[in-house]
Amino acid sequence: MNRRTTSLVLAVGLTSTLTLTACSSPNTPELKVGDSYMPRPVSDLGAGFLTVTNSGGGDDKLTSVTSDISDDVTIHRTKDQKMREVKSFDIPAGGELDLERGGNHLMFMNLKSRPAPGQKVGIELHFEKTDPIKVELPVKETNYNPAHH
Ligand code: CU
């Protein structure tokens, strides 16, 4: 491929990306966060659970989480009772992302304080497309497990 062909391909690629971005409504994710909580931490390690519902027409992804209570928040997938950090969680159009006990979760390392039930922990969820969403996680008893579904 000569230099001229390369720049032509690049230009075409760029144009289609811009078109996709500009085309909004039906392909836009509409996210809502619910069922959020943090079980009372018993060490400097904490977990967080929530659901993100996507009622829009476009897919999105949860890509990272930040919090005042920890400088090291990661997202973990649990499989066969082992957890592993992942880069992102899918939030498909018309679907939801479920983080619940025994499954996928947010992981807070080196907690700066140990919140007790009744308190709240502020976090910010970052997505691939949607603007960041701030959530207050109510702190529950350590073994709290809401009946889901
Ligand atoms: Cu974990």
Side-chain angles (χ1 to χ4, degrees):
M1 202 188 279
N2 63 32
R3 180 174 278 267
R4 205 153 158 225
T5 322
T6 312
S7 44
L8 186 66
V9 171
L10 281 175
V12 170
L14 201 63
T15 312
S16 55
T17 309
L18 287 174
T19 313
L20 277 177
T21 315
C23 168
S24 57
S25 329
N27 299 318
T28 308
E30 289 275 344
L31 304 184
K32 213 177 135 215
V33 180
D35 299 331
S36 63
Y37 69 98
M38 172 184 278
R40 180 184 207 155
V42 293
S43 65
D44 65 352
L45 202 69
F49 302 96
L50 49 82
T51 60
V52 185
T53 313
N54 184 356
S55 60
D59 298 336
D60 209 340
K61 282 178 201 284
L62 174 66
T63 52
S64 68
V65 180
T66 51
S67 175
D68 288 342
I69 207 175
S70 164
D71 292 328
D72 185 4
V73 187
T74 49
I75 53 180
H76 286 191
R77 184 182 300 286
T78 305
K79 216 186 160 200
D80 302 327
Q81 298 189 329
K82 280 185 195 160
M83 63 183 190
R84 180 166 72 79
E85 185 179 342
V86 293
K87 290 261 174 282
S88 65
F89 279 126
D90 289 340
I91 314 168
E96 67 175 28
L97 167 66
D98 248 329
L99 303 183
E100 53 186 12
R101 290 205 88 129
N104 303 336
H105 54 276
L106 311 178
M107 194 96 181
F108 300 75
M109 310 286 281
N110 302 313
L111 290 175
K112 295 173 187 172
S113 64
R114 298 228 196 131
Q119 295 185 303
K120 286 185 172 174
V121 173
I123 62 169
E124 192 169 82
L125 304 175
H126 301 260
F127 304 96
E128 188 180 60
K129 295 178 190 157
T130 305
D131 288 340
I133 298 179
K134 282 185 173 22
V135 183
E136 300 261 286
L137 298 180
V139 179
K140 302 290 189 179
E141 290 304 335
T142 302
N143 56 7
Y144 176 77
N145 193 359
H148 253 290
H149 309 299

